[in-house]
Amino acid sequence: QKEVEQDPGPLSVPEGAIVSLNCTYSNSAFQYFMWYRQYSRKGPELLMYTYSSGNKEDGRFTAQVDKSSKYISLFIRDSQPSDSATYLCAMIKGGATNKLIFGTGTLLAVQP
Amino acid sequence: GAVVSQHPSWVICKSGTSVKIECRSLDFQATTMFWYRQFPKQSLMLMATSNEGSKATYEQGVEKDKFLINHASLTLSTLTVTSAHPEDSSFYICSAGEEPGGEQYFGPGTRLTVT
């Protein structure tokens, strides 16, 4: 079993839709949770960074963490064609390390 | 701020040759740099962690004699793929962090094609 599971998609939605992206994990040692966006043939860029259960909002993006269920989500409101990319969840275990464990990524296409 | 660059962005080499990829932190000092590889439609897989002035720590299954990593300064790490083979063709991405446990900043990636 992989430490981090993510549905690879692809996920296709119409412009303006609300998008829900999810990851589950198996190791309760994970303490920090991130969502990255990666455009084709580019490096990942950090979208959201959270370290506690609950919601964190930034513009059209909301990250949700449920440590009791080992489940994290990223919601995108009013999705735009420019949001079309691969979204990767990533996690770090506690302690003096920043070794990221990535999910497989979900390919999102927002249709105009 | 927090910009990481990679050079080259794309390289083609012949089987059996070696190729070097550079990763630079442009506006901060990176105590730790990470090297990942990513196959098409797959996630990033960590290859190794390098700390300035010390030997890199390789992940299980990564050949340290094939993928040579040097972190000579706080702003530069290099990955050399030695005796490249077509199966080494991949997207190689580096990231850099200022401190352990802190945020990582990713480079734009280098696409390696071995013919």
Side-chain angles (χ1 to χ4, degrees):
Chain A
Q1 182 188 9
K2 292 180 181 178
E3 284 191 288
V4 180
E5 298 277 359
Q6 184 176 6
D7 186 340
L11 180 62
S12 181
V13 301
E15 183 175 353
I18 296 175
V19 176
S20 172
L21 304 165
N22 312 294
C23 286
T24 59
Y25 61 97
S26 57
N27 194 331
S28 58
F30 286 121
Q31 299 295 317
Y32 305 93
F33 306 91
M34 284 132 284
W35 285 96
Y36 287 85
R37 178 174 61 196
Q38 185 178 24
Y39 291 110
S40 180
R41 303 191 177 191
K42 300 290 185 183
E45 56 177 319
L46 182 66
L47 283 177
M48 301 289 280
Y49 183 105
T50 57
Y51 55 86
S52 59
S53 286
N55 293 350
K56 180 177 181 180
E57 191 173 316
D58 184 1
R60 296 185 296 110
F61 299 91
T62 299
Q64 190 174 80
V65 175
D66 182 346
K67 287 188 176 181
S68 62
S69 300
K70 299 189 180 67
Y71 187 89
I72 68 171
S73 300
L74 177 71
F75 298 97
I76 307 174
R77 291 185 299 280
D78 188 24
S79 56
Q80 303 294 310
S82 59
D83 295 328
S84 299
T86 295
Y87 290 80
L88 299 136
C89 64
M91 308 178 186
I92 298 177
K93 296 173 186 174
T97 176
N98 45 359
K99 178 178 173 179
L100 284 166
I101 306 298
F102 281 90
T104 52
T106 299
L107 179 61
L108 171 66
V110 181
Q111 307 297 335
Chain B
V3 178
V4 176
S5 70
Q6 279 184 245
H7 178 80
S9 57
W10 184 37
V11 58
I12 301 174
C13 70
K14 292 186 176 180
S15 186
T17 62
S18 296
V19 61
K20 180 185 287 187
I21 302 170
E22 293 186 348
C23 176
R24 294 181 184 272
S25 56
L26 299 184
D27 50 4
F28 67 99
Q29 293 188 324
T31 56
T32 307
M33 287 186 169
F34 301 84
W35 285 96
Y36 298 83
R37 66 189 296 182
Q38 185 178 33
F39 291 106
K41 299 185 179 181
Q42 294 188 27
S43 189
L44 284 77
M45 298 300 296
L46 180 65
M47 299 174 67
T49 303
S50 73
N51 295 294
E52 185 264 339
S54 62
K55 289 183 178 180
T57 301
Y58 290 81
E59 294 298 300
Q60 191 173 9
V62 178
E63 298 175 60
K64 57 183 66 176
D65 294 332
K66 180 170 183 63
F67 298 99
L68 302 179
I69 292 172
N70 183 279
H71 193 160
S73 75
L74 285 171
T75 60
L76 174 64
S77 176
T78 60
L79 167 67
T80 301
V81 182
T82 63
S83 186
H85 288 98
E87 57 264 31
D88 297 325
S89 298
S90 187
F91 194 50
Y92 291 86
I93 305 174
C94 73
S95 70
E98 290 182 271
E99 57 190 27
E103 184 174 345
Q104 289 183 37
Y105 305 98
F106 283 84
T110 297
R111 183 161 302 280
L112 170 64
T113 301
V114 184
T115 61

